[in-house]
Amino acid sequence: MSVDIKVPTLGESVVTATVAKWLKNPGDAVKADEPIVELETDKVSVEVSASTDGVLEAQNVPEGAEVEVGTVLATLKPGKAGAAKPAQAASASAAASAPAQEKALVETAPAKASSTSAEKAPAQAFPAATKLLKEAAISPETIGVGSGKGDRITKGDVLAFIENNGAKPAAPKPAAKSPRTDDPREERVRMTRLRSTIANRLKEAQNTAAILTTFNEVDMSAAMKMRAEFKEVFEKKHGVKLGFMSIFARACVAALYEFPAVNAEIDGQDIIYRPFVNMGIAVGGPNGLVVPVVRDIQDMDYAEIEKSISTLGRKARDGGLKLDELSGGTFSITNGGVYGSLMSTPIINPPQSAILGMHKIQERPVAVNGQVVIRPMMYIALSYDHRIIDGREAVSFLVRIKESVEDPRRLLLSI
């Protein structure tokens, strides 16, 4: 009995993927846990492996097709390769003779063939396309030959038909935008899936949440002094450098426990509060911005936080992040200062309700005890969802972070 190879669960809020590359072809022998196909999600690439030894019977989805969780990607004939190959050959022979038999039926009995074709038409479309055809009340015969493997109809074929042929009543469209004339010196490059997803999610956040940003500034003198004094001993003992991110992370944890709404989430008409903090740390990877999550950061000391951030940052740069390392965040930090940003208004990462923005440390004159002095200052910003977090909470939260970073002893004394 054949075994179906399906699209696995892809992670939080990820429901579709693109078939990036087939690693095995029909007739190839595969071993249990051996990768068969590579999927590209909105966040990372995922390899789907065989569940048992056997021979790959068929590829149900072509490269480049978009698939949903649970879609059958391929079928596998369990057993040893030698025993399964004859059956595979018979299957391939039957598949090869099918078009000839169908052609003969069409030539000898056109009316009957037409009726039979209409009954079997849905089998000529991929699962996602079949679902869309039913929703739009379109017969597969109306579209005809598809662009997928074996002339099967793809989801893209159905969408193109709807757009070009008006299969469903379309809402009035604004005046068409005149085509853009490219300068010959310009280069047009198609947006990657990751970049497209980032764009859509950021716009979704703006359309859904009532985003507001509040600012403050931090005197980094004490934190820089502590770092300079202990960085060599810290690195020698723990094997990782002491950075400012762990200091801000600990300050955020303390503030989040004091103001739990900042760590909460809106779900319909409910508010979900959490007794833990899964902190997302924004990292610039080769394909765009990703936000790996440090789980239960409230239980970590400075060394454990620095090690976790270092490991996740390296994986992000190497493209080795796993799905579970990108999901489940409750609050995020982004540091534009590493790129020289002096001030910005970060956008929250749904379904989270807030994000802290760190920026460049810059020496500037400030008034201290009635005297103008030069201090290393950093602007910090908190963007938050005003639907769940009041202005008083947001401002107080940011002030608490400022106080903790300007005097790290407060974190040790929990004050």
Side-chain angles (χ1 to χ4, degrees):
M1 183 177 179
S2 298
V3 176
D4 291 337
I5 306 297
K6 299 181 179 181
V7 178
T9 301
L10 301 171
E12 183 181 47
S13 75
V14 182
V15 296
T16 63
T18 299
V19 179
K21 184 179 180 182
W22 279 101
L23 306 177
K24 293 291 182 179
N25 296 314
D28 289 350
V30 295
K31 296 181 180 179
D33 299 325
E34 185 176 5
I36 292 178
V37 60
E38 181 180 299
L39 304 179
E40 183 185 42
T41 72
D42 298 339
K43 299 177 180 179
V44 293
S45 294
V46 180
E47 289 184 343
V48 181
S49 304
S51 57
T52 183
D53 294 346
V55 173
L56 190 66
E57 285 189 316
Q59 297 172 349
N60 296 343
V61 184
E63 292 183 356
E66 186 175 352
V67 292
E68 300 175 349
V69 173
T71 299
V72 178
L73 297 168
T75 53
L76 182 71
K77 184 71 173 180
K80 296 183 179 179
K85 281 185 177 178
Q88 172 62 26
S91 176
S93 176
S97 63
Q101 295 174 358
E102 184 178 343
K103 183 177 179 182
L105 286 172
V106 172
E107 292 175 351
T108 56
K112 185 175 180 180
S114 176
S115 174
T116 303
S117 176
E119 293 174 1
K120 295 184 178 181
Q124 298 173 358
F126 288 112
T130 301
K131 179 180 178 183
L132 194 57
L133 285 169
K134 291 180 179 178
E135 292 176 352
I138 303 172
S139 169
E141 285 187 318
T142 308
I143 296 179
V145 177
S147 61
K149 187 174 182 180
D151 295 335
R152 296 180 71 181
I153 299 171
T154 66
K155 184 177 180 181
D157 294 332
V158 181
L159 292 174
F161 177 83
I162 293 174
E163 182 178 353
N164 298 330
N165 297 277
K168 294 180 73 175
K173 294 184 178 180
K177 183 179 178 181
S178 57
R180 185 184 187 279
T181 303
D182 292 354
D183 188 292
R185 295 168 294 180
E186 297 175 331
E187 180 184 7
R188 183 183 290 269
V189 179
R190 188 167 184 81
M191 190 180 292
T192 64
R193 181 183 177 91
L194 177 59
R195 174 54 56 188
S196 177
T197 299
I198 291 173
N200 292 334
R201 284 181 61 82
L202 292 179
K203 188 58 182 172
E204 176 189 354
Q206 287 185 322
N207 293 340
T208 304
I211 302 178
L212 191 62
T213 304
T214 184
F215 300 90
N216 213 316
E217 61 179 354
V218 178
D219 184 344
M220 296 294 293
S221 300
M224 293 177 70
K225 181 180 179 180
M226 183 183 75
R227 182 172 179 264
E229 184 176 353
F230 295 105
K231 66 178 183 179
E232 291 184 3
V233 177
F234 186 90
E235 184 175 3
K236 183 177 181 180
K237 180 175 181 179
H238 300 292
V240 65
K241 294 182 179 179
L242 175 62
F244 295 121
M245 185 61 77
S246 59
I247 299 175
F248 274 92
R250 289 299 308 169
C252 284
V253 169
L256 288 169
Y257 273 98
E258 187 173 350
F259 303 97
V262 184
N263 194 46
E265 172 189 334
I266 292 179
D267 184 24
Q269 297 299 314
D270 300 326
I271 298 177
I272 300 174
Y273 292 96
R274 304 179 175 94
F276 59 89
V277 180
N278 291 341
M279 189 167 293
I281 308 294
V283 179
N287 298 318
L289 183 73
V290 291
V291 189
V293 176
V294 181
R295 298 182 181 279
D296 293 316
I297 198 170
Q298 77 279 354
D299 298 328
M300 298 183 179
D301 57 24
Y302 289 95
E304 291 172 324
I305 293 173
E306 291 292 353
K307 289 178 181 178
S308 298
I309 293 174
S310 177
T311 300
L312 292 172
R314 183 174 61 254
K315 287 184 176 182
R317 290 186 292 272
D318 297 340
L321 286 171
K322 298 179 180 179
L323 287 171
D324 60 352
E325 293 172 325
L326 290 165
S327 60
T330 63
F331 178 83
S332 293
I333 298 180
T334 179
N335 184 7
V338 296
Y339 303 110
S341 173
L342 190 61
M343 184 180 290
S344 66
T345 55
I347 300 178
I348 61 176
N349 184 25
Q352 297 172 27
S353 298
I355 181 172
L356 176 73
M358 297 168 55
H359 299 91
K360 178 183 178 181
I361 301 173
Q362 186 178 60
E363 289 190 344
R364 38 180 202 272
V366 295
V368 178
N369 298 325
Q371 301 292 323
V372 177
V373 296
I374 304 297
R375 292 290 177 87
M377 305 297 293
M378 176 195 288
Y379 289 116
I380 55 176
L382 180 74
S383 290
Y384 60 98
D385 189 344
H386 210 348
R387 297 177 302 165
I388 183 175
I389 303 170
D390 294 331
R392 178 188 61 82
E393 291 176 300
V395 172
S396 300
F397 176 87
L398 210 54
V399 168
R400 194 66 70 245
I401 291 176
K402 168 184 169 68
E403 293 173 344
S404 297
V405 176
E406 289 185 341
D407 189 353
R409 294 174 301 174
R410 297 176 67 95
L411 295 174
L412 297 176
L413 298 174
S414 300
I415 58 175

